[in-house]
Every structure is written in structure tokens, then in C-alpha cells.
Amino acid sequence: MKFETVKKLVLVSAVLTVLWSCSKDESLVVTTEQAPADAKVEAKPKGPAITGADSLAPHEKPQILADSTRPPLPIEETGNVARLPRSYPEHWMIVREVNFFNHLSGKVIVLDVAETKPEKRIKGMMDSSLLGNFGQSKTRGELYILESFHERGTRGPRTDVLVIYDKETLTIKKEIVWLQPNRIMALPERYSISLSKDEKFLFAANFSPAASFTVVDLDKQEIVTEIGTPGCVLTYPVGQRTVASLCSNGGMLSTTVNEDGTLKSQKRLKPFFDTDKTPIFEHGVFFNGQAFYPSFTGLLHGFDVSGEEVKYLGSSSLVSEDEQEKNWRPGGLFLNDVDDAGLMYTIFQPDGHEGTQTHGGTEVWVHDLKTKQRVRRIEVPNWAVSLVVTRGENPLLVVTNGEMNLDIFNANDGSFIHTVSDFGNVTPLALEKSY
């Protein structure tokens, strides 16, 4: 008796299900004439056949019918790789997204900051794990990222790897495992990696905390040697095959390599600043065979870097006496850059004091490196933490603002153009020109 009751309930449920389906689609005609208990309910379509889970009894499986009136989808081609130009346009730049909230997933982003359509701004992206170091070639068509990996993700033995990317396809050409896991891992630096003038050798800074740099032969794609630089760090390019490094005693070390990349000579420049009383920023700008380093208080130190040995040229002030009284000082992370005309752009802050050298500022000051005179002051509405200036006669000034977006200005007159955001930016603190 109970079994018959269950059968009737199932039948009534099926009929109600079909009736509900028909109420949604008038193209179905349902017959519910009395029939034996094991009879099936049929749905007869008026028009094209329609099937779906709603028109079936609970114990039936839906059938998917293809629409024969529509042409089949074309076969999708796979394995296609778009190519970027071998020489990037002047208004493209490199954003080193270090991702301070997840160092394992840092990125290097190729970005067109002149593009007005957000969906077309990102040209490519590469991984850069654990505060990776970055370098680029002007003639070889290559990009370089030196990154680190732990065997168990965030722990275990560490391996440092130099990854060589094809500049056009952003595909990996070669991975070179470091001799030991000692590459410099710190806040991003523009000169943690540099290339010799002929781009035969790559120099990468190490710090374990013993200071050294590794020489890589880019033609052979192999490590040549590691050269110690006691007390001196980073790899500023000098002359043909010389590396300059800043030293903890306030001096500078010049290291020259032979044609095979081995050590040829090292010469030390006597101290030119007091590391306790008159510290300088390690962010130098290079133009026309000279290099310039600002101090925390606005003193600019100049050097001749055209030969094998760095020569000190003296210093001059970037701030007037009146501005010194108001404590105008340089400040920021990537706080300065130079354009193709020899104009240096530096972030400045009012009311600066000891400890504010990385805070950023409210203005960008533009100085002519030839005359050492200021030619322009650019107000930045949303604070400035880092900056870069693109190449060409009409450069763009790109500023990382306080909201971690990029404000774009016309560098020639200081006018604001637009803000670039939503390109995968989290902490885009390291900005680079592209070549």
C-alpha cells in the first residue's frame, strides 16, 4: 500500500514539474490524460525541440541537442605568441612591482603610460620573486631578472637564478644558477644590475653581507667569476668595462675587468662625504660621461665616469639659503632621474629632517646638469614617492603617488595628463626607462 502511494506521489511530482516548465515556454504542449500508474508523461514541442533539466522527471537525465542551424565554431589556433618591438617606444616604461604584501609574487611590467585606453596599456609581464633585481639591454634585445626561490616555497635551501628574457616575446632564453645564494636582496635599486658599455658582460651585485659582484658573459650565457668589493656595494657602469661601487667609508671603488671578464684592477677614491654627518642617496643619475649623487640635504656630488677610474668633480647645492631655512630636502625611493636633454628631476619635500629621506615629497624640481641651475618646479597633487622620465624630445614624467598609482605629467611644462591605475599595481615603487 505504501509503495503504491509513493508511485502516485512520484507521478504527480513529475506532472507538476512538466506543467511548470510549460508555463515558462508556450512552445510545449503537455498531455495529462488519465493513464495507468506506470505511464510516462510526454511533452510535445510545437516548434524547435527544447530540452532541459526543468522539463524532465527527477529520475531522467537531460539530453543536450546541438542546434544544427548554426555553423560550428572555428578551430582555435594555439601556441600564438604576440611580439613586441625590439626597441620599445619612448613612452613605454618598466614598472618593477615588488609587491610588498607578497614578495613571492613580484612582477616586472612593461607599460605604455601614454596610452589612454586602460586595456591597452599593459604590453607584457614577467615574474620577479623575492625582491628580484632587474636589468635591460639596449642592443641585445634582452631583459634580465635575478630572483630567488626557496625549496619549500617560503623556507628551505635558497637558489638564486638569473633569468634572461627575449625582449620581443618575453619568453625565457636562459636560466643561469648563481654560484651561491648571495645576490643582493633589499629595496629595489636601479644599479643592482648593470651592463658593460659593449654589453658583453653583465654585472650583478651580491651582499651576504660580504660585498661582491658576479660577472656574466652574455655571449656565452655563463658566469665568469665573482669579484670581491669589500665595504662597497652596487654596480654603477663606468667607461668601457668598469664597475663603480659606493663604499661605507664615504668613498668609491672602481673595478675594471679584462676582455674575458676576469679582474684587471681595482682603485679606491678617497671619501667625499661623511656617512654620519652628510649622507648621500645611492641613486645616481648618469649623463654624458658624468654621474651625480644628491645628499640628504640637497648637496649634489659630481663625478667623471668616462674612463676606467672614477674622478670626483666637486659638489654644488640644489637648494638656496632661503630654501635651506625652510628645510627643503630631497626625498623618496627612486627619487631622481635624467632626461635625454640633461635635465635632472628630483622629488623634494618641505620641512624635511633626519629620517624623512625616503618619505617622498610634494614637488619635483628640475635642474640643468650643465649649468647646475633649477629651471622648473612641478607641483604633484597626490604626493610623490618615486619617479622616472621617459626618453625622447617630449618626455613624460611618471610619478608613483601616495595611493600607489602613477600620475603622468608633461615633463616639458609640468602639466598633469592623467593617472594610470589598475595595471596590477600594489606597490609600484621601482620605475625604469625602457629601451
Side-chain angles (χ1 to χ4, degrees):
M1 182 66 180
K2 291 182 179 179
F3 180 73
E4 291 296 323
T5 300
V6 172
K7 287 180 63 178
K8 290 180 180 179
L9 289 174
V10 171
L11 177 60
V12 170
S13 175
V15 171
L16 291 175
T17 300
V18 175
L19 287 173
W20 179 74
S21 176
C22 294
S23 69
K24 299 191 333 181
D25 196 329
E26 296 178 354
S27 65
L28 296 179
V29 177
V30 180
T31 59
T32 58
E33 298 177 356
Q34 292 184 350
D38 59 351
K40 295 182 179 180
V41 179
E42 297 181 356
K44 298 180 180 180
K46 281 183 178 180
I50 299 177
T51 62
D54 290 342
S55 62
L56 299 173
H59 63 280
E60 293 182 293
K61 294 182 179 180
Q63 295 182 357
I64 307 299
L65 301 180
D67 186 350
S68 60
T69 63
R70 294 180 178 273
L73 292 174
I75 297 175
E76 182 180 358
E77 295 184 10
T78 60
N80 291 329
V81 178
R83 303 187 74 89
L84 301 177
R86 184 177 176 86
S87 295
Y88 290 167
E90 294 175 348
H91 47 84
W92 289 18
M93 61 166 293
I94 303 293
V95 178
R96 294 166 59 186
E97 175 49 76
V98 294
N99 195 350
F100 276 146
F101 300 107
N102 184 2
H103 286 168
L104 292 175
S105 59
K107 303 291 182 185
V108 172
I109 304 169
V110 183
L111 194 68
D112 182 354
V113 290
E115 175 59 59
T116 58
K117 296 181 179 179
E119 67 275 11
K120 293 185 177 182
R121 286 176 180 152
I122 300 176
K123 302 304 179 181
M125 189 180 298
M126 295 154 285
D127 291 325
S128 180
S129 177
L130 291 175
L131 297 170
N133 313 121
F134 174 78
Q136 56 183 320
S137 165
K138 298 179 181 179
T139 62
R140 300 181 68 94
E142 294 175 341
L143 302 172
Y144 311 96
I145 298 176
L146 179 54
E147 50 188 341
S148 300
F149 304 93
H150 288 277
E151 190 173 275
R152 292 174 178 82
T154 57
R155 59 189 177 87
R158 174 181 138 191
T159 302
D160 293 349
V161 181
L162 175 67
V163 186
I164 303 176
Y165 284 89
D166 183 286
K167 196 174 179 181
E168 297 180 57
T169 62
L170 302 187
T171 54
I172 295 175
K173 298 175 63 174
K174 181 72 173 181
E175 289 187 342
I176 302 175
V177 178
W178 234 225
L179 298 175
Q180 54 181 323
N182 64 343
R183 62 102 177 172
I184 191 168
M185 189 184 296
L187 280 172
E189 298 283 352
R190 283 197 178 124
Y191 293 103
S192 57
I193 287 180
S194 65
L195 274 65
S196 59
K197 190 172 183 179
D198 60 4
E199 298 198 340
K200 176 178 173 57
F201 297 110
L202 176 144
F203 309 114
N206 302 313
F207 196 75
S208 66
S212 66
F213 66 87
T214 297
V215 183
V216 177
D217 187 320
L218 293 176
D219 291 336
K220 298 178 180 179
Q221 295 185 336
E222 63 184 25
I223 292 175
V224 176
T225 187
E226 181 178 332
I227 300 175
T229 57
C232 307
V233 295
L234 299 177
T235 57
Y236 303 102
V238 175
Q240 296 296 320
R241 291 178 179 172
T242 297
V243 171
S245 305
L246 276 177
C247 303
S248 58
N249 69 343
M252 192 173 284
L253 174 66
S254 299
T255 303
T256 303
V257 301
N258 293 304
E259 292 186 0
D260 61 357
T262 58
L263 176 62
K264 178 181 179 181
S265 64
Q266 288 187 315
K267 296 181 180 179
R268 288 184 178 269
L269 178 70
K270 66 180 182 180
F272 59 92
F273 71 97
D274 188 308
T275 54
D276 292 321
K277 298 179 181 179
T278 57
I280 70 169
F281 293 92
E282 75 275 23
H283 302 291
V285 297
F286 289 70
F287 179 75
N288 197 27
Q290 295 183 336
F292 300 90
Y293 294 80
S295 76
F296 287 8
T297 57
L299 197 64
L300 188 67
H301 298 276
F303 301 85
D304 181 345
V305 293
S306 59
E308 287 190 358
E309 183 180 355
V310 176
K311 298 178 181 179
Y312 185 59
L313 299 177
S315 63
S316 59
S317 181
L318 298 173
V319 293
S320 65
E321 292 183 0
D322 180 61
E323 291 161 346
Q324 291 178 20
E325 292 179 359
K326 296 178 182 178
N327 287 325
W328 277 97
R329 294 187 176 192
L333 293 178
F334 277 40
L335 78 161
N336 57 357
D337 198 12
V338 63
D339 66 16
D340 291 350
L343 299 180
M344 181 180 69
Y345 299 71
T346 309
I347 299 172
F348 270 80
Q349 56 178 299
D351 300 321
H353 54 270
E354 185 175 352
T356 65
Q357 69 272 7
T358 61
H359 291 184
T362 59
E363 294 186 6
V364 173
W365 291 8
V366 186
H367 289 84
D368 189 323
L369 290 175
K370 298 175 183 177
T371 64
K372 306 299 186 299
Q373 298 298 311
R374 186 175 62 209
V375 297
R376 195 175 306 120
R377 292 173 69 164
I378 301 173
E379 293 186 5
V380 288
N382 301 315
W383 200 254
V385 180
S386 295
L387 65 75
V388 71
V389 184
T390 62
R391 297 180 292 113
E393 295 181 358
N394 299 297
L396 299 175
L397 169 63
V398 183
V399 172
T400 299
N401 65 27
E403 298 177 346
M404 294 294 105
N405 295 319
L406 302 181
D407 286 338
I408 316 300
F409 300 83
N410 182 323
N412 288 333
D413 61 18
S415 60
F416 175 76
I417 299 175
H418 59 226
T419 297
V420 175
S421 60
D422 297 327
F423 57 90
N425 51 309
V426 180
T427 50
L429 300 175
L431 309 179
E432 307 263 6
K433 288 178 171 64
S434 68
Y435 294 98

